[in-house]
Amino acid sequence: MAKDIKVAIIGVGGVGKAFVSQLSNYIKNNASTVSVSVVYIARSRAALISKDYSPLPLTAFVSEELDAASTEPLSVPDLIQFLKASGSEAILIDNTSSIELANTYPGILSAGIHIATPNKKGFSSEEKLWNDIFAAAGNDGGSGGYVFHEATVGAGLPVLSTIRDLVDTGDEVTKVEGVFSGTMSFLFNEFAPVGESGAPKAFSDVVKVAKDAGYTEPDPRDDLNGLDVARKLTILARLSGLSIASPTSFPVQSLIPKPLESVSTSQEFMDGLPNYDSEIGLLADEAKKERKVIRFVGSIDVPSKAVKVGLEKFDFSHPISGLKGSDNIIAFYTKRYGDRALIVQGAGAGAEVTAMGVLSDVIKIIARI
Ligand code: NHO
């Protein structure tokens, strides 16, 4: 008999829409072995609820249907009760970036509901939340639901599954380093390309191009402050066995000029940024004279417990220097792999590849229940 699984989706933005489309295809292609019904879809202010647990239609218009919906979303306790009352295994997909929702994961997991999410907040905030989530989860033999969050680092790239496999099979991770932000990757691949001999670009111009093309957050300071990368490093460091209090408990270099930190609008920030082009331009020029480029990277040195995020110089021939577009690259140095790192590289940002990471987690959960 086909496994019967109920799914609740919270958050239908860029990633959520791509996820709904990919899940719809998965359901069609696997109808003979799994019966997956999406019974709840919610955004901040409205929800679609299938009270009799029949599957909600997963059309390309889910977002518009939510816009038109007048039903209030359920509170988390009510959602848990609704899913438990179905009598089936249930998976909650959190496609938001809400810390309030992430704070409720321990209770959701304790109720036996599984979670798949690209939301970094639950895994990269205070260490207590991380501990509470994994104490409640069934991942390591406990009685709670399974929780998977592959897309919190490197979107759909197999980054977290790789580090888990290394650790679970008895290897020892000694160092992890790489480019973890698609936005930062794009900015520096454009601003300081390898061997570029033409006129140097102004950093503020590159930020403007990236902003206009939608590669940055609406306010580019949310990319340039380094916190997104610090959150990803926190997750990887914890999986490598380090105790990390929070994403601000280690050095994180912000690329926001101090006087522009407090300006109130994104436009004011963009207007002021050209005044600071010379500082970062100088760094790039100095690196070029050494046949190097600057890149915004993160690294974890496990034996010395050192985690840091910021600008570093790399030889023209280094794999980090040769990245293209908004690709990520993550190098794992371990006892088994020795000096030659295990490298994962590819598109690390964007709705489709992030949604793929979430769906692959859903498929892993389905295989385990
Ligand atoms: P959106 O488009 O803002 O959508 C969020 C949705 O959640 C909205 O519909 C909003 O109404 C809803 N929502 C918010 N709070 C809610 C609540 N409490 N209850 C109900 N609904 C609520 O965001 P995205 O882009 O779709 O992102 C969704 C999640 O995926 C976020 O946690 C984000 O951090 C995560 N994520 C996105 C990406 C990406 O490429 N878009 C990536 C990873 C994770 O790999 C990607 C990445 O790291 C990009 C990064 N900027 C980089 O490397 O440069």
Side-chain angles (χ1 to χ4, degrees), residues 156-230:
L157 296 176
V159 178
L160 302 192
S161 54
T162 298
I163 199 163
R164 278 208 188 91
D165 285 349
L166 288 167
V167 172
D168 288 351
T169 57
D171 201 352
E172 220 174 284
V173 179
T174 51
K175 187 173 152 188
V176 184
E177 72 172 351
V179 172
F180 294 89
S181 156
T183 309
M184 290 292 205
S185 182
F186 176 84
L187 291 178
F188 284 93
N189 297 341
E190 288 291 308
F191 172 58
V194 171
E196 174 78 1
S197 54
K201 288 177 187 156
F203 188 66
S204 59
D205 284 344
V206 179
V207 175
K208 185 172 183 324
V209 169
K211 182 179 184 323
D212 292 346
Y215 295 151
T216 67
E217 293 294 320
D219 187 335
R221 283 176 291 186
D222 291 337
D223 296 295
L224 296 174
N225 65 11
L227 186 59
D228 180 64
V229 179

Side-chain angles (χ1 to χ4, degrees), residues 2 25 40 131 152 174 220 242 263 309 317 335:
N25 284 333
Y40 180 84
N131 290 336
T152 55
T174 51
L242 295 184
V263 296
V309 171
S317 58
K335 284 263 158 68

Side-chain angles (χ1 to χ4, degrees), residues 9-17 40 42-46 63 66 73 94-101 117-121 151-156 180-185 215-217 222-223 228-229 232 326 328 347-355 358:
I9 300 172
I10 306 186
V12 189
V15 173
K17 270 188 248 174
Y40 180 84
R43 256 210 300 246
S44 308
R45 275 176 219 91
S63 180
L66 276 169
D94 171 13
N95 283 327
T96 76
S97 54
S98 161
I99 180 66
E100 290 77 20
L101 185 53
T117 181
N119 181 356
K120 300 170 199 100
K121 299 282 166 60
T152 55
V153 181
F180 294 89
S181 156
T183 309
M184 290 292 205
S185 182
Y215 295 151
T216 67
E217 293 294 320
D222 291 337
D223 296 295
D228 180 64
V229 179
K232 293 169 182 169
S326 59
N328 285 187
E352 286 294 333
V353 288
T354 305
V358 183

